Amino acid sequence: MLLHLSTWPEVETYLQRSQGMIIPIGSTEQHGPTGLIGTDAICAEAIAQGVGASTQAMVGPTIPVGMALHHTAFPGSISLRPSTLMLVVRDTLTCLVRTGFTRFFFINGHGGNIATLRAAFSETYAHVSDLNLPQGELVRCQLGNWFTGSAVMKLARDLYGDQEGSHATPSEVAVTQYLYPEARKQAALSPDVSPDHSIYGAMDFRRRYPDGRMGSNPNLATPEHGQQFYEASVKELSQSYLKFMNEL
Amino acid sequence: MLLHLSTWPEVETYLQRSQGMIIPIGSTEQHGPTGLIGTDAICAEAIAQGVGASTQAMVGPTIPVGMALHHTAFPGSISLRPSTLMLVVRDTLTCLVRTGFTRFFFINGHGGNIATLRAAFSETYAHVSDLNLPQGELVRCQLGNWFTGSAVMKLARDLYGDQEGSHATPSEVAVTQYLYPEARKQAALSPDVSPDHSIYGAMDFRRRYPDGRMGSNPNLATPEHGQQFYEASVKELSQSYLKFMNEL
Amino acid sequence: MLLHLSTWPEVETYLQRSQGMIIPIGSTEQHGPTGLIGTDAICAEAIAQGVGASTQAMVGPTIPVGMALHHTAFPGSISLRPSTLMLVVRDTLTCLVRTGFTRFFFINGHGGNIATLRAAFSETYAHVSDLNLPQGELVRCQLGNWFTGSAVMKLARDLYGDQEGSHATPSEVAVTQYLYPEARKQAALSPDVSPDHSIYGAMDFRRRYPDGRMGSNPNLATPEHGQQFYEASVKELSQSYLKFMNEL
Amino acid sequence: MLLHLSTWPEVETYLQRSQGMIIPIGSTEQHGPTGLIGTDAICAEAIAQGVGASTQAMVGPTIPVGMALHHTAFPGSISLRPSTLMLVVRDTLTCLVRTGFTRFFFINGHGGNIATLRAAFSETYAHVSDLNLPQGELVRCQLGNWFTGSAVMKLARDLYGDQEGSHATPSEVAVTQYLYPEARKQAALSPDVSPDHSIYGAMDFRRRYPDGRMGSNPNLATPEHGQQFYEASVKELSQSYLKFMNEL
Amino acid sequence: MLLHLSTWPEVETYLQRSQGMIIPIGSTEQHGPTGLIGTDAICAEAIAQGVGASTQAMVGPTIPVGMALHHTAFPGSISLRPSTLMLVVRDTLTCLVRTGFTRFFFINGHGGNIATLRAAFSETYAHVSDLNLPQGELVRCQLGNWFTGSAVMKLARDLYGDQEGSHATPSEVAVTQYLYPEARKQAALSPDVSPDHSIYGAMDFRRRYPDGRMGSNPNLATPEHGQQFYEASVKELSQSYLKFMNEL
Amino acid sequence: MLLHLSTWPEVETYLQRSQGMIIPIGSTEQHGPTGLIGTDAICAEAIAQGVGASTQAMVGPTIPVGMALHHTAFPGSISLRPSTLMLVVRDTLTCLVRTGFTRFFFINGHGGNIATLRAAFSETYAHVSDLNLPQGELVRCQLGNWFTGSAVMKLARDLYGDQEGSHATPSEVAVTQYLYPEARKQAALSPDVSPDHSIYGAMDFRRRYPDGRMGSNPNLATPEHGQQFYEASVKELSQSYLKFMNEL
């Protein structure tokens, strides 16, 4: 079920059988010369909807802009401050808790979101506790990164070896090619595999990674690979979601 | 052009001919017994993409959750605090200003967002000024509500008379029926036209408007009406966008 | 009754018959070459006291500095950030709610305050709800702009036609002349009616409106006009206040 | 000069001869059975205007609501959180610094404001420094409490001995009687001199000081005393202001 | 008892006999050419542990960085913003209140902390009240500055006369020499007693006090003096703590 | 070098040869029936001083209270909100950057700090960039958890196998026994190895882990082990620090 295509009485009915919600979170940031700026949101949303379909779970609105400050020296990249993203998560979950949701499974498309999301979960537990809501103690959040599941990572190794890299990876580019074949971009990449180093501030990032890639060769991506990644991730995260919901 | 389907070099190229961006903003809130929770985001996004297509403007990521605190006593409604939404707007625009965008045209699907957005614009002008950015003085924001254009309002009056109401209106429901015909919902509404009063807090709202509608009869909506509203709004807001971009 | 000239036992007695409070809010900002910097606070405070006298309502302290960021490139203009003003309103109302007030009628002298006030009302409803106060659900805020009442606007049209403009208007200048005849200022204005455009940031505002006026000819103002505006507004807003208090 | 009765060109002219501004700050809080809720703002504003008149200094808008959280269990008391008041001071001074003011002399009517004001000064110096304003390093704030000047304190001792107390004092009540003779209140006070202890939270305060006074006998106040206090304070604070302005 | 060397069951046992906690707070800031940057934290921590030992009170973690913005133009000085320090105090106390502590005695080593701490106490009382904790009304904070006790001040006058000054004083330097004799520093000071003026922003401070001292001659300090100060302060503050705990 | 035992001229001299600073960060939280509440701060501080000694690096003040919200249902546990800790880190680093430090190596003793610290680093890079400081682009932060170094983890596995667990571990308890042998605590633990599950809010945590341990058997700890852990960690983190400082 998709929250945005549901009515409130349908949500009320859903809450009688489940208090779980899947929340996709992406980012709006450069993904190298050929990767789409919306890559992380596109992947997270599609996989979340796949997981929702396979588990009968409600899927909430995608958070399209995440924590990508280090990418913001490239045109078109947008980031929330960590402190802002924490408030977005807190406000979102607090509303949902008030009407009965208690377990939130974030399907995440961007490594840069992880730390801030974990901090936001802690902040939210404390905030909900402050409000003295009856169901406050039941609130639980879990993070599922589609790109770190074991099957997904094995597939990336098998297909791309050490050219997977860590940003603008062929795996994520492949998923967007599968989902938006009409938006497949072409460009010569030089060097084929860009070097991979540390991440600090935005200006430093652009200096280190002039075309935006980190150790990746996205030209290896194909839409067929994308379908494989999509299916592997939906399967893995569906299992994770069900395990999370069944946890005592 | 859609930002999320573009690469950063494509954005760099776009910036050479335009510094404008369209940003759709919706809400995730109850829309009565038959309206979709995502109505406002769905309408804003589709119309924004239509405006982008007709004006060659870049369309940024949709803000799917807005200021809907008064709806949050209904299951599935989500709202940011005004203070949070202001930070989201500030962070978003500041990133875009840093890489060259200066004119932001918000296409809005929800009346409850208007005040907070206007406050956010003021806050953003001051924030950008604080940062001493060279292009800071050039930053301008404008708000285009798809539902308040004169042609759209005339169409609503012609089709629905005094049954348009002010929330869960047949006009917005019609647009979602046009865009998502498979998600069209049915329910008997009683009374046909719910009464229309003031808006205060969330509990008060639910007490006043037990099924979530405000003075509207959404059962009058049809997908064909939706297409008419969509087209009228795209036309009106395209003119508004071009006027905004051409303003000295 | 004026809160600042009352004792706490008098307030306790008042609360037994009414839970309403009128709160004047102005601004401290340039009003063109001849308008007083305190114009908006002066008008709001005087009219609020008039409304209080005619309706037996308690009048709280004037908020003298509002949201006037766009005027701050002129010497002497002061503004709170929207986010700060929202906190001021939230703190103020929360204190009053704790001791029994529940209905707040803001009499406003400045268009630039409107959006932030509306956002602040939403924020306050949610904040009071978070505190689990017994009377939290009863809290209601309403905004009464003295300059947008129908009788006031008709009077302005009758007296000034298209020279009323939208900032440093003859109507507001007239009210200050009526209240502070000793502070009436004289200056040649060129052009008589300055052009009227958009509002963005502070530097842009000063560039567009070099002497601070927006489309107005304040030299048309007289103290006698001011009295007429004052009386018309007190009458209109007294009716609004009573209607607000009587609303179920 | 009063800022609120000046025009911006008059402020511009003033800035050529002085960069100083006097800012009155009061509180809106219970002052015992006979003291006015506005006592602190009334005293601060009147004395500030007296100082302004005697030193040719610009007097800015009064901050009518201060830090009075400990009084908020009494009806009609209003307080900003310290964190909010700090933002109000920061925003106010930042605007004034941008157009040329650099020395701010706060004339304060309420002991509860002192700590927050001092913290706000530190926060403001750092904030102005962050903005890289050319005049940022010149910004200086000073606090003048009208009730702690040596002549004022001697007068209080002479007139009231150990019945001056520390809240709802005869000295401050006397000043309001001098300024607003029509608002003089009468009530039997029991005991004549209430006990004087510590200050913690609001509920604790009301339990300790059931009628709101702290060690004071405000029934000793007379309008004639009020005039003496007013004149002594204007004289002392005028000297302080001039010394502050002349400091290298 | 030292909290950091205790287990949680030991704390649980302690709470059965006392709900008091001593919290040392210092600063990390320049102390002239020979004073240690950690002077204020070192003194506060050692004296707090002495007071804890003599009164059987629990001593919590030292807050090592305080409000020292005015010192931050000197290398190695660190300061929290007042607004940040207030949050640190609020968070710290809220946690302790939730598990049973209600009386907090801050032993402070730095004058610059005083205003912010007092503001933080007010903010904390209100915050704890907002949380509706059962013990919320019992929360009390008190501030004990080791350097303002009457015996300590008399000792400073006796030993140093008018060369005690107000920053990088021989008394505080002496305490650090007593505690860390191996870290005793030597430097010629010129002039012996630096002038003593006002405090505004950081750049202004460094210009006024080029070597960081304010009116002090720390070369008069000896470890033996330090022991005397330490013992006098422990004695005075132990009495203050017990009085605070016994207050009704 | 220890910052708190240095003078500002010594820091100035240090900055001529290095712009690096080590910052220890711990936590003040329950560590099971026998672990010290200060365990994480004690370990981080001692190891940081060891690393400082071996690398000639400056060691700043320990942050004694971290992000431990999930432990706060146990008496004596203290936590900052993630949002507060981020401000503490931001303020601390901003001060140090202003006087010349640019590389910050955090030696961390608590897993719960990791996410918030990473978020704080991002926030700090952006904040420093906002300030337009000349050295802003050079700022880099790195996180070194003493307990996740490969040699330390191997040692834990060799000594404790699957009884190391993840909270109140024998390894961290051992380090505190080595450093504070006088504070070694004894208690029967039942079961020897407590179960290890998820972490959500504070009340949920205490329900899951009634004595505070997570999968650990701290009774295996000895002071001799502690010395081994200490030495292994100092060696590993010294290498990490030097690598960090030498990174281009």
Side-chain angles (χ1 to χ4, degrees), chain A residues 156-193:
Chain A
R157 270 196 309 276
D158 291 350
L159 291 173
Y160 311 127
D162 64 358
Q163 300 188 58
E164 166 72 355
S166 56
H167 182 65
T169 60
S171 60
E172 61 186 346
V173 168
V175 174
T176 63
Q177 288 177 350
Y178 165 58
L179 296 166
Y180 289 91
E182 74 279 15
R184 189 172 177 179
K185 309 295 167 83
Q186 305 286 350
L189 301 175
S190 168
D192 280 358
V193 179

Side-chain angles (χ1 to χ4, degrees), chain C residues 2 25 122:
Chain C
L2 302 184
I25 177 165
S122 297

Side-chain angles (χ1 to χ4, degrees), chain F residues 133-239:
Chain F
L133 300 178
Q135 66 276 41
E137 291 183 28
L138 304 178
V139 177
R140 299 181 190 177
C141 300
Q142 192 159 305
L143 181 56
N145 303 303
W146 77 261
F147 49 93
T148 57
S150 57
V152 166
M153 291 183 78
K154 179 176 186 309
L155 183 59
R157 269 194 311 275
D158 291 350
L159 291 172
Y160 310 128
D162 62 0
Q163 299 188 59
E164 166 72 356
S166 56
H167 183 66
T169 61
S171 60
E172 62 186 344
V173 168
V175 174
T176 63
Q177 289 178 350
Y178 165 59
L179 295 166
Y180 288 91
E182 74 279 14
R184 188 172 178 178
K185 308 296 166 85
Q186 304 287 351
L189 300 175
S190 167
D192 281 0
V193 179
S194 58
D196 195 1
H197 303 298
S198 304
I199 297 178
Y200 304 109
M203 298 301 285
D204 181 271
F205 187 99
R206 187 155 187 183
R207 185 179 59 75
R208 285 175 194 268
Y209 312 106
D211 74 357
R213 294 174 298 137
M214 295 177 71
S216 67
N217 185 356
N219 276 351
L220 302 179
T222 71
E224 295 70 27
H225 293 168
Q227 183 171 5
Q228 290 178 270
F229 282 110
Y230 169 82
E231 289 170 355
S233 179
V234 167
K235 188 173 170 193
E236 285 190 316
L237 288 176
S238 294
Q239 291 165 343

